[in-house]
Coordinates of all heavy atoms in Angstrom, one line a residue:
E23 N 0.8 -1.2 0.0 CA 0.0 0.0 0.0 C 0.8 1.3 0.0 O 0.5 2.2 -0.7 CB -0.9 0.0 1.2 CG -2.0 -1.1 1.2 CD -2.7 -1.1 2.6 OE1 -2.6 -0.2 3.3 OE2 -3.5 -2.1 2.7
T24 N 1.9 1.3 0.7 CA 2.7 2.5 0.9 C 3.4 2.9 -0.4 O 3.4 4.1 -0.8 CB 3.8 2.3 2.0 OG1 3.2 1.9 3.2 CG2 4.6 3.6 2.2
I25 N 3.9 1.9 -1.1 CA 4.6 2.3 -2.4 C 3.6 2.8 -3.4 O 3.9 3.8 -4.1 CB 5.5 1.1 -2.9 CG1 6.5 1.6 -4.0 CG2 4.6 0.0 -3.5 CD1 7.6 2.4 -3.4
E26 N 2.4 2.2 -3.4 CA 1.4 2.7 -4.3 C 0.9 4.1 -4.0 O 0.7 5.0 -4.8 CB 0.2 1.8 -4.4 CG 0.4 0.5 -5.1 CD 1.1 -0.6 -4.4 OE1 1.4 -0.4 -3.2 OE2 1.4 -1.6 -5.0
A27 N 0.8 4.4 -2.7 CA 0.5 5.7 -2.2 C 1.5 6.8 -2.6 O 1.2 7.8 -3.1 CB 0.3 5.8 -0.7
A28 N 2.8 6.4 -2.5 CA 3.9 7.3 -2.9 C 3.8 7.6 -4.4 O 4.0 8.7 -4.8 CB 5.2 6.7 -2.5
L29 N 3.6 6.5 -5.2 CA 3.5 6.7 -6.6 C 2.3 7.5 -7.1 O 2.4 8.1 -8.1 CB 3.5 5.3 -7.3 CG 4.8 4.5 -7.2 CD1 4.6 3.1 -7.7 CD2 5.9 5.2 -8.0
S30 N 1.3 7.5 -6.3 CA 0.1 8.3 -6.6 C 0.4 9.8 -6.7 O -0.3 10.6 -7.4 CB -1.0 8.1 -5.7 OG -0.8 8.7 -4.4
F31 N 1.5 10.3 -6.1 CA 2.0 11.7 -6.2 C 2.9 11.9 -7.4 O 3.3 13.0 -7.6 CB 2.7 12.1 -4.9 CG 1.8 12.1 -3.7 CD1 1.7 11.1 -2.9 CD2 1.0 13.2 -3.5 CE1 0.9 11.1 -1.8 CE2 0.2 13.3 -2.4 CZ 0.1 12.2 -1.5
D32 N 3.1 10.9 -8.2 CA 4.0 11.0 -9.4 C 5.3 11.6 -9.2 O 5.7 12.5 -9.9 CB 3.2 11.8 -10.5 CG 3.8 11.5 -11.9 OD1 4.4 10.5 -12.1 OD2 3.7 12.5 -12.7
P33 N 6.0 11.1 -8.2 CA 7.4 11.6 -7.9 C 8.4 11.2 -8.9 O 8.3 10.1 -9.5 CB 7.7 11.0 -6.5 CG 7.0 9.7 -6.6 CD 5.7 9.9 -7.3
P34 N 9.4 12.0 -9.2 CA 10.4 11.6 -10.1 C 11.6 10.8 -9.4 O 12.4 10.3 -10.1 CB 11.0 13.0 -10.6 CG 10.8 13.9 -9.4 CD 9.5 13.4 -8.8
H35 N 11.6 10.8 -8.1 CA 12.6 10.1 -7.3 C 12.1 9.6 -6.1 O 11.3 10.2 -5.4 CB 13.8 11.1 -7.0 CG 14.9 10.5 -6.3 ND1 15.0 10.2 -5.0 CD2 16.1 10.1 -6.8 CE1 16.1 9.7 -4.7 NE2 16.8 9.6 -5.8
I36 N 12.5 8.4 -5.7 CA 12.1 7.7 -4.4 C 13.3 7.0 -3.8 O 14.0 6.3 -4.5 CB 10.9 6.7 -4.6 CG1 9.7 7.4 -5.1 CG2 10.7 5.9 -3.3 CD1 8.5 6.5 -5.3
A37 N 13.4 7.2 -2.5 CA 14.5 6.4 -1.8 C 13.7 5.4 -0.9 O 12.8 5.7 -0.3 CB 15.3 7.4 -1.0
V38 N 14.3 4.2 -0.9 CA 13.6 3.1 -0.1 C 14.7 2.6 0.9 O 15.7 2.1 0.5 CB 13.2 1.9 -1.1 CG1 12.6 0.8 -0.3 CG2 12.3 2.4 -2.2
Y39 N 14.3 2.8 2.1 CA 15.2 2.4 3.2 C 14.5 1.5 4.2 O 13.3 1.5 4.4 CB 15.6 3.7 4.0 CG 16.5 4.6 3.3 CD1 15.9 5.7 2.6 CD2 17.8 4.5 3.2 CE1 16.7 6.6 1.9 CE2 18.6 5.3 2.5 CZ 18.1 6.4 1.9 OH 18.8 7.3 1.2
D40 N 15.3 0.6 4.8 CA 14.9 -0.3 5.8 C 15.3 0.3 7.2 O 16.4 0.7 7.3 CB 15.5 -1.7 5.6 CG 14.9 -2.7 6.6 OD1 13.8 -2.5 7.1 OD2 15.6 -3.7 6.8
L41 N 14.3 0.5 8.1 CA 14.7 1.0 9.4 C 15.5 0.0 10.2 O 15.2 -1.2 10.3 CB 13.4 1.3 10.2 CG 13.5 1.7 11.6 CD1 14.2 3.1 11.7 CD2 12.2 1.8 12.3
M42 N 16.6 0.5 10.7 CA 17.5 -0.3 11.5 C 17.4 0.3 12.9 O 17.7 1.5 13.1 CB 19.0 -0.2 11.0 CG 19.2 -0.7 9.6 SD 18.9 -2.4 9.4 CE 20.2 -3.1 10.3
V43 N 17.1 -0.5 13.9 CA 17.0 -0.1 15.3 C 18.4 -0.3 15.9 O 18.9 -1.4 16.1 CB 16.0 -0.9 16.1 CG1 15.9 -0.5 17.5 CG2 14.6 -0.8 15.5
E44 N 19.0 0.9 16.2 CA 20.4 0.9 16.8 C 20.3 1.2 18.3 O 19.4 1.8 18.8 CB 21.2 1.9 16.1 CG 21.4 1.8 14.6 CD 22.2 0.6 14.2 OE1 23.0 0.1 15.0 OE2 22.1 0.2 13.0
Q45 N 21.3 0.7 19.0 CA 21.3 0.9 20.5 C 21.5 2.4 20.7 O 22.1 3.1 19.9 CB 22.5 0.2 21.1 CG 22.3 -1.3 21.1 CD 23.5 -2.0 21.7 OE1 24.6 -1.5 22.0 NE2 23.3 -3.3 22.0
K46 N 20.9 2.8 21.8 CA 21.0 4.2 22.3 C 20.3 5.2 21.4 O 20.6 6.4 21.4 CB 22.4 4.7 22.5 CG 23.1 3.8 23.6 CD 24.5 4.3 23.8 CE 25.2 3.4 24.8 NZ 26.6 3.8 25.1
T47 N 19.3 4.7 20.6 CA 18.5 5.6 19.8 C 17.1 5.6 20.4 O 16.8 4.8 21.3 CB 18.3 5.1 18.3 OG1 17.7 3.9 18.3 CG2 19.7 5.0 17.6
A48 N 16.3 6.6 20.0 CA 14.9 6.6 20.5 C 14.2 5.3 20.3 O 13.4 4.9 21.2 CB 14.2 7.8 19.8
F49 N 14.3 4.7 19.1 CA 13.6 3.4 18.9 C 14.0 2.4 19.9 O 13.3 1.5 20.4 CB 13.8 3.0 17.4 CG 13.0 3.7 16.4 CD1 13.7 4.7 15.7 CD2 11.7 3.6 16.3 CE1 12.9 5.5 14.8 CE2 10.9 4.3 15.4 CZ 11.6 5.3 14.6
D50 N 15.3 2.3 20.2 CA 15.8 1.4 21.1 C 15.3 1.7 22.5 O 14.8 0.8 23.2 CB 17.4 1.4 21.2 CG 18.0 0.5 22.2 OD1 17.6 -0.7 22.2 OD2 18.9 0.9 22.9
K51 N 15.3 2.9 22.9 CA 14.7 3.3 24.2 C 13.2 3.0 24.3 O 12.7 2.7 25.4 CB 15.0 4.8 24.4 CG 16.5 5.1 24.6 CD 16.7 6.6 24.8 CE 18.2 6.9 24.8 NZ 18.5 8.3 24.8
W52 N 12.5 3.1 23.2 CA 11.1 2.8 23.2 C 10.8 1.4 23.2 O 9.7 1.0 23.3 CB 10.4 3.5 22.0 CG 10.4 5.0 22.1 CD1 10.5 5.8 23.2 CD2 10.4 5.9 20.9 NE1 10.5 7.1 22.8 CE2 10.5 7.2 21.4 CE3 10.5 5.6 19.6 CZ2 10.5 8.3 20.6 CZ3 10.5 6.7 18.7 CH2 10.5 8.0 19.2
G53 N 11.8 0.5 23.1 CA 11.7 -0.9 23.1 C 11.3 -1.6 21.8 O 10.9 -2.7 21.9
Y54 N 11.5 -0.9 20.7 CA 11.2 -1.5 19.4 C 12.2 -2.7 19.1 O 13.4 -2.5 19.3 CB 11.2 -0.5 18.3 CG 10.1 0.4 18.3 CD1 10.1 1.7 18.8 CD2 8.8 0.0 17.7 CE1 9.0 2.5 18.8 CE2 7.8 0.8 17.7 CZ 7.9 2.1 18.2 OH 6.8 2.9 18.2
V55 N 11.6 -3.8 18.7 CA 12.5 -5.0 18.4 C 12.1 -5.4 17.0 O 10.9 -5.7 16.7 CB 12.3 -6.1 19.5 CG1 13.1 -7.3 19.1 CG2 12.6 -5.6 20.8
P56 N 13.1 -5.6 16.1 CA 12.7 -6.1 14.8 C 12.0 -7.4 14.9 O 12.4 -8.3 15.7 CB 14.1 -6.2 14.1 CG 15.0 -5.2 14.8 CD 14.5 -5.2 16.2
G57 N 11.0 -7.5 14.1 CA 10.2 -8.8 14.1 C 9.0 -8.8 15.0 O 8.2 -9.6 15.0
L58 N 9.0 -7.8 16.0 CA 7.9 -7.7 16.9 C 7.1 -6.4 16.5 O 7.7 -5.4 16.2 CB 8.4 -7.6 18.4 CG 9.1 -8.8 18.9 CD1 9.6 -8.6 20.3 CD2 8.3 -10.0 18.8
S59 N 5.8 -6.5 16.6 CA 5.0 -5.4 16.2 C 5.4 -4.1 16.8 O 5.8 -4.1 18.0 CB 3.5 -5.7 16.6 OG 2.7 -4.7 16.1
P60 N 5.5 -3.0 16.1 CA 5.1 -2.8 14.7 C 6.1 -3.0 13.7 O 5.9 -2.7 12.5 CB 4.6 -1.3 14.7 CG 5.6 -0.7 15.6 CD 5.9 -1.7 16.7
L61 N 7.3 -3.5 14.0 CA 8.4 -3.7 13.0 C 8.3 -5.0 12.4 O 8.0 -6.0 13.0 CB 9.7 -3.5 13.7 CG 10.0 -2.1 14.3 CD1 11.4 -2.1 15.0 CD2 9.9 -1.0 13.3
P62 N 8.6 -5.1 11.1 CA 8.5 -6.4 10.4 C 9.7 -7.3 10.7 O 10.8 -6.8 11.1 CB 8.6 -6.0 8.9 CG 9.3 -4.7 8.9 CD 8.9 -4.0 10.2
S63 N 9.5 -8.5 10.5 CA 10.6 -9.5 10.6 C 11.6 -9.2 9.5 O 11.3 -8.5 8.5 CB 10.1 -10.9 10.5 OG 9.6 -11.2 9.2
E64 N 12.8 -9.8 9.6 CA 13.8 -9.7 8.5 C 13.2 -10.2 7.2 O 13.4 -9.6 6.1 CB 15.1 -10.4 8.9 CG 16.2 -10.2 7.9 CD 17.5 -10.7 8.4 OE1 17.8 -10.9 9.6 OE2 18.3 -11.1 7.5
K65 N 12.5 -11.3 7.3 CA 11.9 -11.9 6.0 C 10.9 -11.0 5.4 O 10.9 -10.8 4.2 CB 11.3 -13.3 6.4 CG 10.7 -14.0 5.2 CD 10.0 -15.3 5.6 CE 9.3 -15.9 4.4 NZ 8.6 -17.2 4.8
D66 N 10.0 -10.5 6.3 CA 9.0 -9.5 5.7 C 9.6 -8.3 5.2 O 9.2 -7.8 4.2 CB 8.0 -9.2 6.8 CG 7.1 -10.3 7.2 OD1 6.9 -11.3 6.4 OD2 6.5 -10.3 8.3
S67 N 10.7 -7.8 5.9 CA 11.4 -6.6 5.4 C 12.0 -6.8 4.0 O 11.9 -6.0 3.1 CB 12.4 -6.2 6.4 OG 13.0 -5.0 6.1
T68 N 12.6 -8.0 3.9 CA 13.2 -8.3 2.6 C 12.1 -8.4 1.5 O 12.3 -7.9 0.4 CB 13.9 -9.7 2.7 OG1 15.0 -9.5 3.7 CG2 14.5 -10.1 1.4
N69 N 11.0 -9.1 1.8 CA 9.9 -9.2 0.8 C 9.4 -7.8 0.4 O 9.1 -7.5 -0.7 CB 8.8 -10.0 1.4 CG 9.2 -11.5 1.4 OD1 10.1 -11.9 0.6 ND2 8.6 -12.3 2.2
M70 N 9.3 -6.9 1.4 CA 8.8 -5.5 1.2 C 9.7 -4.8 0.3 O 9.3 -4.0 -0.7 CB 8.5 -4.8 2.4 CG 7.3 -5.2 3.2 SD 6.8 -4.2 4.6 CE 8.0 -4.8 5.8
Y71 N 11.0 -4.9 0.5 CA 12.0 -4.2 -0.3 C 12.0 -4.8 -1.7 O 12.0 -4.0 -2.7 CB 13.4 -4.4 0.3 CG 14.4 -3.6 -0.5 CD1 14.7 -2.3 -0.2 CD2 15.2 -4.2 -1.6 CE1 15.6 -1.5 -1.0 CE2 16.0 -3.5 -2.3 CZ 16.3 -2.1 -2.0 OH 17.2 -1.4 -2.7
R72 N 11.9 -6.1 -1.9 CA 11.8 -6.7 -3.2 C 10.6 -6.2 -4.0 O 10.6 -5.9 -5.2 CB 11.8 -8.2 -3.2 CG 13.2 -8.7 -2.8 CD 13.2 -10.2 -2.9 NE 14.5 -10.7 -2.5 CZ 14.7 -11.9 -1.9 NH1 13.7 -12.6 -1.5 NH2 16.0 -12.2 -1.6
Y73 N 9.4 -6.1 -3.2 CA 8.2 -5.7 -3.9 C 8.3 -4.2 -4.3 O 7.9 -3.9 -5.4 CB 7.0 -5.8 -2.9 CG 5.7 -5.3 -3.4 CD1 5.0 -6.0 -4.3 CD2 5.3 -4.0 -3.0 CE1 3.8 -5.5 -4.8 CE2 4.1 -3.5 -3.5 CZ 3.4 -4.3 -4.4 OH 2.2 -3.8 -4.9
A74 N 8.9 -3.4 -3.4 CA 9.1 -2.0 -3.8 C 10.0 -1.8 -5.0 O 9.7 -1.1 -5.9 CB 9.6 -1.2 -2.6
S75 N 11.1 -2.6 -5.0 CA 12.0 -2.5 -6.1 C 11.4 -2.9 -7.4 O 11.5 -2.2 -8.4 CB 13.2 -3.4 -5.8 OG 14.2 -3.3 -6.8
N76 N 10.7 -4.0 -7.4 CA 10.0 -4.5 -8.6 C 9.0 -3.5 -9.1 O 8.9 -3.3 -10.3 CB 9.4 -5.9 -8.4 CG 10.5 -7.0 -8.2 OD1 11.6 -6.9 -8.7 ND2 10.1 -8.0 -7.5
T77 N 8.2 -3.0 -8.2 CA 7.1 -2.1 -8.5 C 7.7 -0.8 -9.1 O 7.2 -0.3 -10.2 CB 6.3 -1.8 -7.3 OG1 5.7 -3.0 -6.8 CG2 5.2 -0.8 -7.6
L78 N 8.7 -0.3 -8.5 CA 9.3 1.0 -9.0 C 9.9 0.8 -10.4 O 9.7 1.6 -11.3 CB 10.4 1.5 -8.0 CG 9.8 2.0 -6.7 CD1 10.9 2.3 -5.7 CD2 9.0 3.3 -7.0
Q79 N 10.6 -0.3 -10.6 CA 11.2 -0.6 -11.9 C 10.1 -0.8 -13.0 O 10.3 -0.3 -14.1 CB 12.2 -1.8 -11.8 CG 13.4 -1.4 -11.0 CD 14.4 -2.5 -10.9 OE1 14.9 -2.9 -11.9 NE2 14.6 -3.0 -9.6
Q80 N 9.0 -1.4 -12.6 CA 7.9 -1.6 -13.6 C 7.3 -0.2 -13.9 O 6.7 -0.1 -15.0 CB 6.8 -2.5 -13.0 CG 7.3 -4.0 -12.9 CD 6.3 -4.8 -12.2 OE1 5.2 -4.4 -11.7 NE2 6.6 -6.1 -12.1
E81 N 7.4 0.7 -13.0 CA 6.8 2.0 -13.2 C 7.8 3.0 -13.9 O 7.6 4.2 -14.0 CB 6.3 2.6 -11.9 CG 5.1 1.9 -11.3 CD 3.9 2.1 -12.1 OE1 3.7 3.2 -12.7 OE2 3.1 1.1 -12.3
G82 N 8.9 2.5 -14.4 CA 9.9 3.3 -15.1 C 11.0 3.9 -14.3 O 11.7 4.8 -14.8
F83 N 11.1 3.5 -13.1 CA 12.2 4.1 -12.2 C 13.5 3.2 -12.4 O 13.4 2.0 -12.5 CB 11.8 4.0 -10.7 CG 10.8 5.1 -10.4 CD1 9.5 4.9 -10.6 CD2 11.2 6.3 -9.7 CE1 8.5 5.8 -10.3 CE2 10.3 7.2 -9.4 CZ 8.9 7.0 -9.7
K84 N 14.6 3.9 -12.5 CA 15.9 3.2 -12.6 C 16.5 3.1 -11.2 O 16.5 4.0 -10.4 CB 16.8 4.0 -13.5 CG 18.2 3.5 -13.6 CD 19.1 4.4 -14.4 CE 20.5 4.1 -14.2 NZ 21.4 5.1 -14.6
H85 N 17.0 1.9 -10.8 CA 17.6 1.7 -9.5 C 19.0 2.1 -9.6 O 19.8 1.6 -10.5 CB 17.5 0.2 -9.2 CG 18.0 -0.1 -7.8 ND1 18.3 -1.4 -7.5 CD2 18.2 0.6 -6.7 CE1 18.7 -1.4 -6.2 NE2 18.7 -0.2 -5.7
Y86 N 19.5 3.0 -8.7 CA 20.9 3.4 -8.7 C 21.3 3.5 -7.2 O 20.4 3.6 -6.3 CB 21.1 4.6 -9.5 CG 20.6 5.9 -8.9 CD1 21.5 6.8 -8.2 CD2 19.3 6.2 -8.9 CE1 21.0 7.9 -7.6 CE2 18.8 7.4 -8.3 CZ 19.7 8.2 -7.7 OH 19.2 9.4 -7.1
E87 N 22.5 3.5 -7.0 CA 23.1 3.6 -5.6 C 22.5 2.4 -4.9 O 22.1 1.4 -5.4 CB 22.7 5.0 -5.0 CG 23.6 5.4 -3.8 CD 22.8 5.2 -2.5 OE1 21.6 5.3 -2.5 OE2 23.4 4.9 -1.5
I88 N 22.4 2.5 -3.6 CA 21.9 1.3 -2.8 C 20.4 1.3 -2.7 O 19.7 0.3 -2.8 CB 22.5 1.3 -1.4 CG1 24.0 1.1 -1.5 CG2 21.9 0.3 -0.5 CD1 24.7 1.2 -0.2
S89 N 19.8 2.5 -2.4 CA 18.3 2.5 -2.1 C 17.6 3.6 -2.9 O 16.5 4.0 -2.5 CB 18.2 2.8 -0.6 OG 18.8 4.0 -0.3
N90 N 18.2 4.1 -4.0 CA 17.5 5.2 -4.7 C 16.9 4.7 -6.0 O 17.5 3.8 -6.7 CB 18.5 6.3 -5.0 CG 18.8 7.0 -3.7 OD1 18.0 7.8 -3.2 ND2 20.0 6.8 -3.2
Y91 N 15.8 5.3 -6.4 CA 15.1 5.0 -7.7 C 14.7 6.3 -8.3 O 14.2 7.2 -7.6 CB 13.9 4.1 -7.5 CG 14.2 2.7 -6.9 CD1 14.5 2.6 -5.5 CD2 14.3 1.6 -7.7 CE1 14.8 1.3 -5.0 CE2 14.6 0.4 -7.2 CZ 14.9 0.3 -5.8 OH 15.2 -1.0 -5.3
A92 N 15.0 6.5 -9.6 CA 14.6 7.8 -10.2 C 14.2 7.5 -11.6 O 14.7 6.6 -12.3 CB 15.8 8.7 -10.1
K93 N 13.4 8.4 -12.1 CA 13.1 8.5 -13.5 C 14.3 9.1 -14.2 O 15.0 9.9 -13.6 CB 11.8 9.2 -13.7 CG 10.6 8.5 -13.1 CD 9.3 8.8 -13.8 CE 8.2 7.9 -13.1 NZ 6.9 8.3 -13.6
S94 N 14.4 8.9 -15.5 CA 15.6 9.3 -16.2 C 15.7 10.9 -16.1 O 14.8 11.6 -16.3 CB 15.4 9.0 -17.7 OG 16.5 9.4 -18.4
G95 N 16.9 11.2 -15.7 CA 17.3 12.7 -15.6 C 17.0 13.2 -14.2 O 17.3 14.4 -13.9
F96 N 16.5 12.4 -13.3 CA 16.2 12.9 -11.9 C 17.0 12.3 -10.8 O 16.7 12.3 -9.6 CB 14.7 12.7 -11.6 CG 13.8 13.6 -12.4 CD1 13.2 13.2 -13.6 CD2 13.5 14.9 -11.9 CE1 12.4 14.0 -14.3 CE2 12.7 15.7 -12.7 CZ 12.1 15.3 -13.9
E97 N 18.1 11.7 -11.2 CA 19.0 11.1 -10.2 C 19.6 12.2 -9.4 O 19.9 13.3 -9.9 CB 20.1 10.3 -10.8 CG 19.7 9.1 -11.7 CD 19.3 9.4 -13.1 OE1 19.3 10.6 -13.5 OE2 19.0 8.5 -13.9
C98 N 19.8 12.0 -8.1 CA 20.4 13.0 -7.2 C 22.0 12.9 -7.5 O 22.6 11.9 -7.5 CB 20.2 12.7 -5.8 SG 18.5 12.9 -5.2
E99 N 22.5 14.1 -7.8 CA 23.9 14.2 -8.1 C 24.8 13.6 -7.0 O 25.8 12.9 -7.3 CB 24.3 15.6 -8.4 CG 23.8 16.2 -9.7 CD 24.3 15.4 -10.9 OE1 25.5 15.1 -11.0 OE2 23.5 15.2 -11.8
H100 N 24.5 13.9 -5.7 CA 25.4 13.5 -4.7 C 25.3 11.9 -4.5 O 26.2 11.4 -3.8 CB 25.1 14.2 -3.3 CG 23.8 13.8 -2.7 ND1 22.6 14.4 -3.1 CD2 23.5 12.9 -1.7 CE1 21.6 13.9 -2.4 NE2 22.1 13.0 -1.5
N101 N 24.3 11.3 -5.0 CA 24.2 9.8 -4.9 C 24.8 9.1 -6.1 O 24.9 7.9 -6.1 CB 22.7 9.4 -4.7 CG 22.1 9.7 -3.4 OD1 22.9 9.8 -2.4 ND2 20.9 9.9 -3.3
R102 N 25.1 9.8 -7.1 CA 25.5 9.1 -8.4 C 27.0 8.6 -8.3 O 27.4 7.8 -9.1 CB 25.4 10.1 -9.5 CG 24.0 10.4 -9.8 CD 23.9 11.4 -10.9 NE 24.0 10.6 -12.2 CZ 23.8 11.1 -13.4 NH1 23.4 12.3 -13.5 NH2 23.9 10.3 -14.4
V103 N 27.7 9.0 -7.2 CA 29.1 8.5 -7.1 C 29.3 7.2 -6.3 O 30.3 6.7 -6.3 CB 30.0 9.6 -6.4 CG1 30.0 10.9 -7.3 CG2 29.5 9.9 -5.0
Y104 N 28.2 6.7 -5.7 CA 28.3 5.5 -5.0 C 28.2 4.2 -5.9 O 27.6 4.2 -6.8 CB 27.1 5.4 -4.0 CG 27.2 6.5 -2.9 CD1 26.2 7.5 -2.9 CD2 28.1 6.4 -1.9 CE1 26.3 8.5 -2.0 CE2 28.1 7.4 -0.9 CZ 27.2 8.4 -1.0 OH 27.2 9.4 -0.1

């Protein structure tokens, strides 16, 4: 649902990131644990990333860098060196 909602705004660029809960961050202090609600398990997170990647590429976005997708000509210059 989220990727479709984002695409409904017709953006030229989208970044897709997986939330990592690190020690001594607010998420850690709040007790968030990957795989426990509301965070997805590693398997679910992987499936969501693959779904987003496939969907974006089918919609004409080019995958570049680690987590960025852009329509032709809309790549972020600072991300093009990775």
Side-chain angles (χ1 to χ4, degrees):
E23 295 173 9
T24 304
I25 197 69
E26 285 83 4
L29 288 170
S30 74
F31 291 97
D32 197 28
H35 185 279
I36 294 181
V38 179
Y39 292 94
D40 188 19
L41 175 66
M42 302 293 293
V43 177
E44 301 290 341
Q45 291 182 347
K46 299 182 183 178
T47 64
F49 287 102
D50 179 48
K51 291 176 187 172
W52 295 330
Y54 285 99
V55 177
L58 299 179
S59 186
L61 300 180
S63 67
E64 186 174 332
K65 180 181 177 183
D66 288 342
S67 184
T68 298
N69 288 337
M70 286 188 280
Y71 184 85
R72 285 184 181 146
Y73 177 79
S75 182
N76 290 335
T77 301
L78 290 168
Q79 291 180 63
Q80 289 173 1
E81 292 294 321
F83 287 79
K84 176 184 162 196
H85 185 198
Y86 74 102
E87 200 258 328
I88 295 172
S89 57
N90 290 286
Y91 296 81
K93 295 205 173 171
S94 182
F96 288 95
E97 298 87 354
C98 290
E99 289 297 322
H100 71 276
N101 286 336
R102 295 179 78 168
V103 297
Y104 297 107

